[in-house]
């Protein structure tokens, strides 16, 4: 049975759109989170004493054969 | 309960009005009028309404209809409602006109775009352009509403924040892709399945009739004359409109600036969604995601190479582009909750 995650403990501002990035309370390093508004994904690159470091995650671009 | 009539109820917009009004908890649909379907059960013309109404289309005089109801929706061809409006006004009834007859404040636009002179130009100023997101307060105190055109709605919603912020210095190029229901349920040679299927029909490279109302509303917002070049094509879908508008803008602009612009402009607007997701299944607005709903999905893209903003709008042409918008205006006009009768999550997949 999946463990229910406690979310909403922390909301950071998305550096691209200014929206909110919701961070689960029990987030771990290397985990991917995303902006509630623009969908940009961030990788949690560090967790130190409650301070989070985020970096934009690689995303797959659409390719329609142009 | 408010008593309403739908005149011109056998078309697609009339059918969509009936669908929404029959579900509305504060409305009683007392009359469905149709010249061409007179005597037929409504559900015979709109089979999706079977079990929801036992109304029969009638073709009574407009003054007789007005004596039975409080509000009349006119879903008749362009040019026809200007004949019906004066006698309805004499009865004191409220009117929501789905056609173009009372949308344009400059009467000289009518011969240019519609090919006729207006027969009662003095009545135009009594109508409010029925875009609830832009004219909420005026609609609240109005008795007569001119419901916007469908392509006009998608274009205006997606460009309004840019107009208000002063971005529309140069003519705007709008590309509109629309589903077949926007052309109504009349049959033509092109309605033939073999002719229409898989076709992308460029039916109006220029000269589309919604041009002047887009210009009218954007000019009000920007405070200066805004010029629009609109190209419209019919694509293989039944419902939906996608508009992509190119706004040439010379200065550098950040994505966050536009996000904040759109967020602020449409703050607390229940039926506007900013639909962009960099990693989503759909990354920009798509008519498929609003089917059957009153949502207008908006988005944008910044093209630094050609120094333009591409502003995107997607609506269901029969709902936010017609009947849903009209019901939203009715709600405001009658002091009902704005969203009542309109809360519907879009169908997916379609």
């Amino acid at each position: 049975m999946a463990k229910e995650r406690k979310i909403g403990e922390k909301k950071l501002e998305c550096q691209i759109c200014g929206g909110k990035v919701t961070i689960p309370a029990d987030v771990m390093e290397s985990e991917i989170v995303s902006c509630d508004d623009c969908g940009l994904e961030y990788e949690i690159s560090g967790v130190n004493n409650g301070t989070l470091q985020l970096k934009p995650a690689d995303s797959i671009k659409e390719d329609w054969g142009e | 309960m408010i008593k309403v009539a739908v005149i011109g109820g056998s078309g697609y917009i009339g059918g969509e009005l009936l669908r929404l009004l029959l579900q509305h908890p504060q409305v009683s649909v007392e009359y469905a009028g149709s010249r061409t379907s007179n005597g037929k059960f409504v559900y015979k013309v709109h089979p999706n309404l079977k079990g929801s109404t036992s109304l029969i289309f009638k073709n009574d005089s407009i003054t007789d209809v007005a004596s039975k109801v409080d509000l009349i929706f006119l879903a008749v061809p362009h040019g026809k409602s200007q004949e019906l409006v004066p006698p309805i006004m004499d009865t004191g009834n409220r009117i929501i006109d789905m056609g173009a007859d009372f949308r344009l404040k400059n009467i000289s636009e009518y011969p240019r775009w519609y090919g006729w002179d207006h027969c009662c130009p003095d009545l135009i100023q009594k109508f409010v352009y029925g875009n609830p997101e832009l004219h909420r307060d005026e609609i609240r105190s109005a008795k007569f509403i001119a419901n916007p055109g469908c392509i006009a709605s998608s274009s205006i919603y997606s460009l309004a924040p840019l107009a208000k912020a002063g971005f529309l210095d140069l003519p705007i190029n709008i590309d509109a892709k629309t589903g077949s229901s926007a052309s109504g349920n009349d049959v033509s040679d092109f309605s033939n399945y073999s002719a229409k299927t898989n076709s992308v029909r460029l039916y109006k490279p220029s000269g589309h009739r919604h041009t002047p109302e887009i210009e009218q509303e954007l000019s009000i917002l920007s405070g200066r004359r805004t010029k629009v070049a609109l190209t419209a094509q019919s694509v293989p879908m039944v419902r939906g409109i996608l508009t992509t508008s190119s706004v040439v803008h010379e200065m550098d602009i950040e994505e966050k600036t536009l996000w904040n612009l759109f967020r602020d402009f449409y703050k607390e607007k229940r039926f506007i969604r900013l639909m962009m997701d960099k990693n989503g299944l759909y990354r920009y607005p798509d008519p498929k995601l609003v089917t059957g709903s009153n949502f207008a999905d908006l988005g944008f893209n910044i093209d630094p190479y050609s120094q333009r903003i591409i502003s995107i709008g997607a609506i269901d042409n029969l709902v936010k582009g017609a009947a849903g918008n009209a019901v939203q205006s009715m709600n405001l006009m009658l002091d009902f909750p704005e969203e009542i009768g309109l809360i519907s999550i879009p169908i997916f997949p379609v």
Side-chain angles (χ1 to χ4, degrees), chain A residues 13-19 37-41 59-60 62, chain B residues 254-257 259-260 263 274 276-281 283:
Chain A
E13 184 180 306
C14 174
Q15 60 187 251
I16 296 299
C17 80
D37 281 2
C38 76
L40 182 69
E41 290 182 339
S59 65
I60 299 168
E62 292 197 314
Chain B
E254 287 189 354
E255 190 173 333
K256 190 184 285 187
T257 305
W259 268 100
N260 287 332
R263 281 191 192 106
L274 301 186
M276 291 167 281
D277 190 334
K278 294 181 187 299
N279 292 286
L281 181 58
R283 300 186 177 193

Side-chain angles (χ1 to χ4, degrees), chain B residues 2 4 21 24 26-27 71 73 96 139 145 324-336 340:
Chain B
I2 182 138
V4 306
L21 293 167
H24 196 295
Q26 298 290 335
V27 168
L71 188 157
F73 290 88
I96 297 182
I139 290 170
I145 304 290
N325 214 49
V327 171
Q328 191 181 346
S329 289
M330 177 194 75
N331 289 342
L332 288 169
M333 189 163 61
L334 299 172
D335 208 23
F336 297 153
I340 195 168

Side-chain angles (χ1 to χ4, degrees), chain B residues 270-287:
Chain B
R270 178 70 175 81
F271 294 110
I272 303 293
R273 302 191 300 190
L274 301 186
M275 185 59 86
M276 291 167 281
D277 190 334
K278 294 181 187 299
N279 292 286
L281 181 58
Y282 295 82
R283 300 186 177 193
Y284 290 101
D286 188 316

Side-chain angles (χ1 to χ4, degrees), chain A residues 50-66:
Chain A
T51 303
L52 298 172
Q53 292 171 317
L54 277 67
K55 66 176 185 182
D58 292 335
S59 65
I60 299 168
K61 300 282 188 294
E62 292 197 314
D63 180 2
W64 290 76
E66 59 187 88

